[in-house]
Amino acid sequence: MEGFSLKRLTLVILVLTAILASTPTLAQSYKIDTSHSALDFSIRHLVSKTTGTFGAFSGTIMYDANHPEKSQFLGTIDVSSIDTQNSRRDGHLQSGDFFDVATYPTITFASTQVEKTDDGRLQVTGDLAMHGVTKSVMIPVEILGTGTHPMSGKKQIGLAGELTIKASDFGINSWENFVAILGDEIDIRILVEANAG
């Protein structure tokens, strides 16, 4: 009886090993292609809104289509690359009144949890570190598509996400005229095209 049980256990292990070995994994690591990606923001200015972008950023995405909850998202922004189409304003935003680039040159994001929603989107929760403050934020992410680049032959992924944060949560509202001129909420739009590394 013991011999039969051992043989049966061995057979089960062999079958499970074969199944696991034959199951393809869709987990893939991608690097953000900044030339085909954008990181934009907008904030209230008096009676309207001012928009801007960050021109220098990088990041990696580990996406598993079979198990999206195992996916990971990492990103870094060079704050000195801020561009609002006004060099004087950009310089002010880089100063100690706002981002204080000399002390805090980067903004980083690292996912801590990924969940798939009923509509197929991802809820990516992670740590956003900016201006010496780290806060947990949630970014709804839409996978725009996956495929293979016709020229390079590399796998690709496209995604989009939006979130709203408060300047006061990260201490970037120390300018004395901030409340009178600017809103506290910053709307951020992320559009990413990434290639397999």
Side-chain angles (χ1 to χ4, degrees), residues 20-76:
L20 291 173
S22 62
T23 301
T25 176
L26 294 181
Q28 178 67 58
S29 178
Y30 301 88
K31 290 185 178 181
I32 293 177
D33 177 2
T34 55
S35 63
H36 294 96
S37 303
L39 184 55
D40 305 325
F41 65 88
S42 64
I43 187 170
R44 182 181 62 78
H45 179 264
L46 296 175
V47 296
S48 185
K49 282 194 173 184
T50 291
T51 62
T53 187
F54 289 97
F57 53 91
S58 61
T60 58
I61 300 163
M62 179 65 75
Y63 178 63
D64 189 333
N66 283 339
H67 304 283
E69 70 279 1
K70 296 182 180 180
S71 301
Q72 294 181 324
F73 299 81
L74 299 171
T76 300

Short mmCIF file of all heavy atoms in Angstrom, two decimals, residues 20-76:
data_model
loop_
_atom_site.label_atom_id
_atom_site.label_comp_id
_atom_site.label_asym_id
_atom_site.label_seq_id
_atom_site.Cartn_x
_atom_site.Cartn_y
_atom_site.Cartn_z
N LEU A 20 3.37 22.40 -15.83
CA LEU A 20 4.01 23.68 -15.57
C LEU A 20 5.05 24.02 -16.62
O LEU A 20 5.21 25.17 -17.03
CB LEU A 20 4.64 23.69 -14.17
CG LEU A 20 3.65 23.66 -13.00
CD1 LEU A 20 4.40 23.50 -11.68
CD2 LEU A 20 2.82 24.95 -12.98
N ALA A 21 5.78 23.02 -17.06
CA ALA A 21 6.84 23.25 -18.05
C ALA A 21 6.26 23.62 -19.41
O ALA A 21 6.86 24.36 -20.18
CB ALA A 21 7.71 22.00 -18.18
N SER A 22 5.04 23.11 -19.70
CA SER A 22 4.44 23.36 -21.01
C SER A 22 3.57 24.62 -21.02
O SER A 22 3.12 25.05 -22.07
CB SER A 22 3.58 22.16 -21.43
OG SER A 22 2.51 21.97 -20.51
N THR A 23 3.33 25.22 -19.84
CA THR A 23 2.50 26.42 -19.78
C THR A 23 3.34 27.65 -20.08
O THR A 23 4.29 27.95 -19.35
CB THR A 23 1.87 26.58 -18.37
OG1 THR A 23 1.09 25.41 -18.10
CG2 THR A 23 0.99 27.82 -18.33
N PRO A 24 3.07 28.37 -21.16
CA PRO A 24 3.89 29.52 -21.51
C PRO A 24 3.69 30.67 -20.54
O PRO A 24 2.58 30.91 -20.06
CB PRO A 24 3.38 29.90 -22.91
CG PRO A 24 1.97 29.41 -22.93
CD PRO A 24 1.96 28.17 -22.09
N THR A 25 4.75 31.37 -20.21
CA THR A 25 4.64 32.55 -19.37
C THR A 25 4.61 33.79 -20.25
O THR A 25 5.34 33.88 -21.23
CB THR A 25 5.81 32.63 -18.37
OG1 THR A 25 5.69 33.85 -17.65
CG2 THR A 25 7.16 32.60 -19.07
N LEU A 26 3.73 34.71 -19.91
CA LEU A 26 3.62 35.94 -20.68
C LEU A 26 4.29 37.11 -19.97
O LEU A 26 4.17 38.24 -20.41
CB LEU A 26 2.14 36.26 -20.94
CG LEU A 26 1.39 35.26 -21.84
CD1 LEU A 26 -0.04 35.71 -22.03
CD2 LEU A 26 2.09 35.07 -23.17
N ALA A 27 4.96 36.81 -18.86
CA ALA A 27 5.67 37.88 -18.15
C ALA A 27 6.78 38.41 -19.04
O ALA A 27 7.56 37.66 -19.60
CB ALA A 27 6.24 37.36 -16.84
N GLN A 28 6.84 39.72 -19.18
CA GLN A 28 7.82 40.33 -20.06
C GLN A 28 8.27 41.65 -19.46
O GLN A 28 7.47 42.42 -18.94
CB GLN A 28 7.22 40.58 -21.44
CG GLN A 28 8.14 41.26 -22.43
CD GLN A 28 9.31 40.39 -22.83
OE1 GLN A 28 9.12 39.28 -23.34
NE2 GLN A 28 10.51 40.85 -22.59
N SER A 29 9.57 41.92 -19.54
CA SER A 29 10.13 43.17 -19.04
C SER A 29 10.25 44.17 -20.20
O SER A 29 10.73 43.82 -21.28
CB SER A 29 11.51 42.92 -18.42
OG SER A 29 12.07 44.14 -17.98
N TYR A 30 9.79 45.39 -19.96
CA TYR A 30 9.81 46.45 -20.97
C TYR A 30 10.50 47.69 -20.41
O TYR A 30 10.42 47.97 -19.22
CB TYR A 30 8.39 46.84 -21.39
CG TYR A 30 7.54 45.73 -21.95
CD1 TYR A 30 6.77 44.93 -21.11
CD2 TYR A 30 7.48 45.50 -23.32
CE1 TYR A 30 5.97 43.93 -21.62
CE2 TYR A 30 6.68 44.50 -23.85
CZ TYR A 30 5.92 43.71 -22.98
OH TYR A 30 5.12 42.73 -23.50
N LYS A 31 11.14 48.42 -21.31
CA LYS A 31 11.72 49.72 -20.95
C LYS A 31 10.96 50.82 -21.69
O LYS A 31 10.67 50.68 -22.88
CB LYS A 31 13.21 49.78 -21.31
CG LYS A 31 14.07 48.90 -20.44
CD LYS A 31 15.56 49.10 -20.75
CE LYS A 31 16.43 48.24 -19.84
NZ LYS A 31 17.88 48.44 -20.12
N ILE A 32 10.66 51.90 -20.98
CA ILE A 32 9.89 52.99 -21.57
C ILE A 32 10.66 53.65 -22.71
O ILE A 32 11.85 53.96 -22.58
CB ILE A 32 9.54 54.05 -20.51
CG1 ILE A 32 8.56 53.47 -19.49
CG2 ILE A 32 8.94 55.30 -21.16
CD1 ILE A 32 8.22 54.41 -18.36
N ASP A 33 9.99 53.81 -23.84
CA ASP A 33 10.54 54.52 -24.99
C ASP A 33 10.09 55.98 -24.87
O ASP A 33 8.96 56.33 -25.22
CB ASP A 33 10.02 53.89 -26.28
CG ASP A 33 10.49 54.63 -27.53
OD1 ASP A 33 11.24 55.61 -27.40
OD2 ASP A 33 10.07 54.22 -28.63
N THR A 34 10.97 56.84 -24.37
CA THR A 34 10.58 58.23 -24.09
C THR A 34 10.24 59.01 -25.35
O THR A 34 9.49 59.99 -25.30
CB THR A 34 11.70 58.96 -23.33
OG1 THR A 34 12.92 58.86 -24.06
CG2 THR A 34 11.89 58.35 -21.95
N SER A 35 10.76 58.57 -26.50
CA SER A 35 10.47 59.30 -27.74
C SER A 35 9.03 59.07 -28.20
O SER A 35 8.53 59.79 -29.06
CB SER A 35 11.45 58.90 -28.84
OG SER A 35 11.32 57.53 -29.16
N HIS A 36 8.37 58.06 -27.64
CA HIS A 36 6.97 57.78 -27.99
C HIS A 36 6.10 57.74 -26.74
O HIS A 36 5.05 57.08 -26.73
CB HIS A 36 6.87 56.45 -28.74
CG HIS A 36 7.54 56.47 -30.08
ND1 HIS A 36 8.83 56.00 -30.28
CD2 HIS A 36 7.13 56.93 -31.29
CE1 HIS A 36 9.16 56.16 -31.55
NE2 HIS A 36 8.15 56.72 -32.18
N SER A 37 6.52 58.44 -25.71
CA SER A 37 5.77 58.49 -24.46
C SER A 37 5.65 59.94 -24.01
O SER A 37 6.40 60.81 -24.47
CB SER A 37 6.46 57.66 -23.37
OG SER A 37 6.63 56.31 -23.78
N ALA A 38 4.73 60.21 -23.09
CA ALA A 38 4.54 61.57 -22.61
C ALA A 38 4.10 61.56 -21.16
O ALA A 38 3.36 60.67 -20.72
CB ALA A 38 3.50 62.29 -23.46
N LEU A 39 4.56 62.57 -20.43
CA LEU A 39 4.19 62.74 -19.03
C LEU A 39 3.79 64.20 -18.84
O LEU A 39 4.64 65.09 -18.74
CB LEU A 39 5.37 62.38 -18.14
CG LEU A 39 5.16 62.40 -16.63
CD1 LEU A 39 3.98 61.54 -16.23
CD2 LEU A 39 6.42 61.94 -15.92
N ASP A 40 2.50 64.45 -18.83
CA ASP A 40 1.97 65.82 -18.81
C ASP A 40 1.23 66.10 -17.50
O ASP A 40 0.76 65.18 -16.82
CB ASP A 40 1.00 66.03 -19.98
CG ASP A 40 1.61 65.70 -21.31
OD1 ASP A 40 2.82 65.95 -21.49
OD2 ASP A 40 0.89 65.17 -22.18
N PHE A 41 1.11 67.39 -17.18
CA PHE A 41 0.37 67.77 -15.99
C PHE A 41 -0.34 69.09 -16.24
O PHE A 41 0.00 69.86 -17.15
CB PHE A 41 1.31 67.90 -14.77
CG PHE A 41 2.32 69.00 -14.88
CD1 PHE A 41 2.02 70.30 -14.45
CD2 PHE A 41 3.57 68.77 -15.43
CE1 PHE A 41 2.95 71.32 -14.56
CE2 PHE A 41 4.51 69.79 -15.55
CZ PHE A 41 4.20 71.07 -15.11
N SER A 42 -1.33 69.38 -15.40
CA SER A 42 -2.02 70.67 -15.45
C SER A 42 -2.41 71.07 -14.03
O SER A 42 -2.65 70.21 -13.17
CB SER A 42 -3.26 70.61 -16.35
OG SER A 42 -4.22 69.72 -15.82
N ILE A 43 -2.46 72.37 -13.80
CA ILE A 43 -2.81 72.91 -12.51
C ILE A 43 -3.56 74.23 -12.72
O ILE A 43 -3.29 74.95 -13.69
CB ILE A 43 -1.56 73.13 -11.62
CG1 ILE A 43 -1.95 73.54 -10.20
CG2 ILE A 43 -0.61 74.14 -12.25
CD1 ILE A 43 -0.78 73.53 -9.23
N ARG A 44 -4.51 74.52 -11.85
CA ARG A 44 -5.26 75.76 -12.01
C ARG A 44 -4.34 76.96 -11.86
O ARG A 44 -3.47 76.99 -10.99
CB ARG A 44 -6.37 75.85 -10.95
CG ARG A 44 -7.23 77.11 -11.09
CD ARG A 44 -8.31 77.18 -10.04
NE ARG A 44 -7.77 77.26 -8.68
CZ ARG A 44 -7.27 78.37 -8.12
NH1 ARG A 44 -7.21 79.49 -8.83
NH2 ARG A 44 -6.82 78.35 -6.88
N HIS A 45 -4.53 77.96 -12.73
CA HIS A 45 -3.82 79.23 -12.64
C HIS A 45 -4.84 80.34 -12.77
O HIS A 45 -5.42 80.55 -13.84
CB HIS A 45 -2.77 79.33 -13.75
CG HIS A 45 -2.01 80.63 -13.74
ND1 HIS A 45 -2.37 81.71 -14.52
CD2 HIS A 45 -0.95 81.03 -13.01
CE1 HIS A 45 -1.54 82.71 -14.29
NE2 HIS A 45 -0.66 82.33 -13.38
N LEU A 46 -5.11 81.03 -11.65
CA LEU A 46 -6.13 82.08 -11.61
C LEU A 46 -7.46 81.54 -12.13
O LEU A 46 -8.06 80.69 -11.50
CB LEU A 46 -5.65 83.31 -12.39
CG LEU A 46 -4.40 84.00 -11.81
CD1 LEU A 46 -3.94 85.13 -12.72
CD2 LEU A 46 -4.67 84.52 -10.39
N VAL A 47 -7.92 82.00 -13.30
CA VAL A 47 -9.23 81.58 -13.79
C VAL A 47 -9.15 80.49 -14.85
O VAL A 47 -10.18 80.11 -15.43
CB VAL A 47 -10.00 82.80 -14.36
CG1 VAL A 47 -10.27 83.81 -13.27
CG2 VAL A 47 -9.21 83.45 -15.51
N SER A 48 -7.95 79.98 -15.11
CA SER A 48 -7.80 78.96 -16.15
C SER A 48 -6.89 77.85 -15.64
O SER A 48 -6.84 77.60 -14.44
CB SER A 48 -7.22 79.60 -17.42
OG SER A 48 -7.16 78.67 -18.47
N LYS A 49 -6.17 77.23 -16.55
CA LYS A 49 -5.23 76.18 -16.17
C LYS A 49 -3.92 76.35 -16.93
O LYS A 49 -3.91 76.81 -18.08
CB LYS A 49 -5.79 74.79 -16.46
CG LYS A 49 -6.80 74.30 -15.43
CD LYS A 49 -7.06 72.82 -15.58
CE LYS A 49 -7.93 72.31 -14.44
NZ LYS A 49 -8.11 70.85 -14.51
N THR A 50 -2.83 75.97 -16.28
CA THR A 50 -1.51 75.95 -16.91
C THR A 50 -1.09 74.50 -17.08
O THR A 50 -1.28 73.68 -16.17
CB THR A 50 -0.47 76.70 -16.05
OG1 THR A 50 -0.78 78.10 -16.06
CG2 THR A 50 0.93 76.51 -16.60
N THR A 51 -0.53 74.20 -18.23
CA THR A 51 -0.09 72.83 -18.50
C THR A 51 1.43 72.76 -18.63
O THR A 51 2.09 73.77 -18.87
CB THR A 51 -0.73 72.30 -19.79
OG1 THR A 51 -0.30 73.10 -20.90
CG2 THR A 51 -2.25 72.33 -19.70
N GLY A 52 1.95 71.58 -18.48
CA GLY A 52 3.39 71.38 -18.63
C GLY A 52 3.70 69.91 -18.84
O GLY A 52 2.79 69.05 -18.84
N THR A 53 4.96 69.63 -19.02
CA THR A 53 5.39 68.27 -19.25
C THR A 53 6.78 68.07 -18.67
O THR A 53 7.50 69.03 -18.39
CB THR A 53 5.41 67.94 -20.76
OG1 THR A 53 5.67 66.56 -20.95
CG2 THR A 53 6.45 68.77 -21.49
N PHE A 54 7.17 66.83 -18.48
CA PHE A 54 8.54 66.47 -18.11
C PHE A 54 9.16 65.76 -19.31
O PHE A 54 8.63 64.76 -19.79
CB PHE A 54 8.56 65.56 -16.89
CG PHE A 54 8.17 66.25 -15.60
CD1 PHE A 54 6.88 66.17 -15.12
CD2 PHE A 54 9.11 67.00 -14.89
CE1 PHE A 54 6.52 66.81 -13.94
CE2 PHE A 54 8.75 67.64 -13.72
CZ PHE A 54 7.45 67.55 -13.24
N GLY A 55 10.28 66.29 -19.79
CA GLY A 55 10.88 65.74 -20.99
C GLY A 55 11.82 64.57 -20.76
O GLY A 55 12.09 63.81 -21.69
N ALA A 56 12.33 64.42 -19.54
CA ALA A 56 13.29 63.36 -19.25
C ALA A 56 12.75 62.44 -18.16
O ALA A 56 12.54 62.87 -17.02
CB ALA A 56 14.63 63.95 -18.83
N PHE A 57 12.51 61.21 -18.52
CA PHE A 57 12.03 60.22 -17.55
C PHE A 57 12.40 58.83 -18.07
O PHE A 57 12.75 58.65 -19.24
CB PHE A 57 10.52 60.33 -17.34
CG PHE A 57 9.71 60.29 -18.61
CD1 PHE A 57 9.22 59.10 -19.11
CD2 PHE A 57 9.43 61.46 -19.31
CE1 PHE A 57 8.48 59.05 -20.27
CE2 PHE A 57 8.68 61.44 -20.48
CZ PHE A 57 8.21 60.23 -20.96
N SER A 58 12.35 57.87 -17.19
CA SER A 58 12.68 56.49 -17.56
C SER A 58 11.87 55.55 -16.69
O SER A 58 11.28 55.96 -15.69
CB SER A 58 14.18 56.23 -17.38
OG SER A 58 14.55 56.41 -16.02
N GLY A 59 11.84 54.29 -17.08
CA GLY A 59 11.10 53.34 -16.27
C GLY A 59 11.08 51.96 -16.89
O GLY A 59 11.41 51.77 -18.06
N THR A 60 10.69 50.99 -16.08
CA THR A 60 10.57 49.61 -16.53
C THR A 60 9.20 49.07 -16.12
O THR A 60 8.63 49.48 -15.11
CB THR A 60 11.67 48.71 -15.94
OG1 THR A 60 11.61 48.77 -14.51
CG2 THR A 60 13.04 49.15 -16.41
N ILE A 61 8.70 48.18 -16.93
CA ILE A 61 7.41 47.55 -16.69
C ILE A 61 7.60 46.05 -16.81
O ILE A 61 8.14 45.56 -17.81
CB ILE A 61 6.36 48.01 -17.71
CG1 ILE A 61 6.17 49.53 -17.64
CG2 ILE A 61 5.04 47.28 -17.52
CD1 ILE A 61 5.47 50.10 -18.86
N MET A 62 7.19 45.31 -15.79
CA MET A 62 7.15 43.86 -15.86
C MET A 62 5.68 43.48 -15.92
O MET A 62 4.97 43.56 -14.90
CB MET A 62 7.83 43.23 -14.65
CG MET A 62 7.79 41.71 -14.65
SD MET A 62 8.75 40.95 -16.01
CE MET A 62 10.42 41.19 -15.38
N TYR A 63 5.22 43.12 -17.10
CA TYR A 63 3.80 42.85 -17.29
C TYR A 63 3.56 41.38 -17.56
O TYR A 63 4.20 40.78 -18.42
CB TYR A 63 3.26 43.68 -18.46
CG TYR A 63 1.80 43.43 -18.76
CD1 TYR A 63 0.83 43.73 -17.81
CD2 TYR A 63 1.40 42.90 -19.98
CE1 TYR A 63 -0.51 43.49 -18.06
CE2 TYR A 63 0.06 42.67 -20.25
CZ TYR A 63 -0.89 42.97 -19.29
OH TYR A 63 -2.22 42.73 -19.55
N ASP A 64 2.62 40.82 -16.80
CA ASP A 64 2.24 39.42 -16.95
C ASP A 64 0.76 39.38 -17.32
O ASP A 64 -0.10 39.63 -16.46
CB ASP A 64 2.50 38.66 -15.65
CG ASP A 64 2.32 37.16 -15.80
OD1 ASP A 64 1.54 36.74 -16.67
OD2 ASP A 64 2.97 36.40 -15.04
N ALA A 65 0.45 39.10 -18.56
CA ALA A 65 -0.94 39.11 -19.02
C ALA A 65 -1.76 38.01 -18.36
O ALA A 65 -2.96 38.17 -18.13
CB ALA A 65 -0.99 38.96 -20.54
N ASN A 66 -1.12 36.88 -18.05
CA ASN A 66 -1.83 35.78 -17.39
C ASN A 66 -2.12 36.08 -15.92
O ASN A 66 -3.13 35.66 -15.37
CB ASN A 66 -1.03 34.48 -17.49
CG ASN A 66 -1.13 33.86 -18.86
OD1 ASN A 66 -2.06 34.15 -19.62
ND2 ASN A 66 -0.17 33.01 -19.20
N HIS A 67 -1.20 36.78 -15.30
CA HIS A 67 -1.33 37.11 -13.88
C HIS A 67 -0.99 38.60 -13.68
O HIS A 67 0.08 38.93 -13.18
CB HIS A 67 -0.41 36.24 -13.04
CG HIS A 67 -0.62 34.77 -13.23
ND1 HIS A 67 -1.67 34.10 -12.65
CD2 HIS A 67 0.08 33.85 -13.95
CE1 HIS A 67 -1.62 32.82 -13.00
NE2 HIS A 67 -0.57 32.64 -13.77
N PRO A 68 -1.90 39.49 -14.07
CA PRO A 68 -1.62 40.93 -13.98
C PRO A 68 -1.24 41.38 -12.58
O PRO A 68 -0.51 42.36 -12.42
CB PRO A 68 -2.95 41.57 -14.42
CG PRO A 68 -3.63 40.53 -15.23
CD PRO A 68 -3.25 39.22 -14.62
N GLU A 69 -1.74 40.68 -11.56
CA GLU A 69 -1.43 41.07 -10.18
C GLU A 69 0.06 40.91 -9.85
O GLU A 69 0.54 41.46 -8.86
CB GLU A 69 -2.28 40.25 -9.20
CG GLU A 69 -1.92 38.78 -9.09
CD GLU A 69 -2.50 37.91 -10.21
OE1 GLU A 69 -3.18 38.45 -11.10
OE2 GLU A 69 -2.26 36.69 -10.19
N LYS A 70 0.78 40.17 -10.68
CA LYS A 70 2.22 39.99 -10.48
C LYS A 70 3.04 41.03 -11.24
O LYS A 70 4.27 41.02 -11.17
CB LYS A 70 2.64 38.58 -10.91
CG LYS A 70 2.02 37.47 -10.07
CD LYS A 70 2.52 36.10 -10.51
CE LYS A 70 1.91 35.00 -9.66
NZ LYS A 70 2.38 33.65 -10.09
N SER A 71 2.39 41.90 -11.98
CA SER A 71 3.09 42.92 -12.75
C SER A 71 3.72 43.96 -11.83
O SER A 71 3.28 44.16 -10.69
CB SER A 71 2.13 43.61 -13.72
OG SER A 71 1.54 42.68 -14.60
N GLN A 72 4.75 44.62 -12.33
CA GLN A 72 5.46 45.65 -11.57
C GLN A 72 5.71 46.87 -12.45
O GLN A 72 5.95 46.75 -13.65
CB GLN A 72 6.79 45.13 -11.03
CG GLN A 72 6.64 44.03 -10.00
CD GLN A 72 7.99 43.56 -9.48
OE1 GLN A 72 8.97 43.49 -10.22
NE2 GLN A 72 8.05 43.24 -8.20
N PHE A 73 5.69 48.05 -11.83
CA PHE A 73 5.89 49.30 -12.54
C PHE A 73 6.87 50.17 -11.75
O PHE A 73 6.67 50.41 -10.57
CB PHE A 73 4.57 50.05 -12.71
CG PHE A 73 3.53 49.30 -13.50
CD1 PHE A 73 2.75 48.31 -12.89
CD2 PHE A 73 3.33 49.56 -14.84
CE1 PHE A 73 1.80 47.61 -13.61
CE2 PHE A 73 2.38 48.86 -15.58
CZ PHE A 73 1.61 47.89 -14.96
N LEU A 74 7.92 50.63 -12.43
CA LEU A 74 8.92 51.49 -11.81
C LEU A 74 9.17 52.68 -12.73
O LEU A 74 9.25 52.52 -13.95
CB LEU A 74 10.24 50.75 -11.58
CG LEU A 74 10.21 49.53 -10.65
CD1 LEU A 74 11.55 48.80 -10.71
CD2 LEU A 74 9.91 49.94 -9.22
N GLY A 75 9.31 53.88 -12.15
CA GLY A 75 9.56 55.05 -12.97
C GLY A 75 10.35 56.11 -12.24
O GLY A 75 10.27 56.23 -11.00
N THR A 76 11.14 56.88 -12.99
CA THR A 76 11.92 57.99 -12.44
C THR A 76 11.80 59.19 -13.36
O THR A 76 11.92 59.06 -14.59
CB THR A 76 13.41 57.61 -12.30
OG1 THR A 76 13.53 56.49 -11.42
CG2 THR A 76 14.21 58.77 -11.73
#
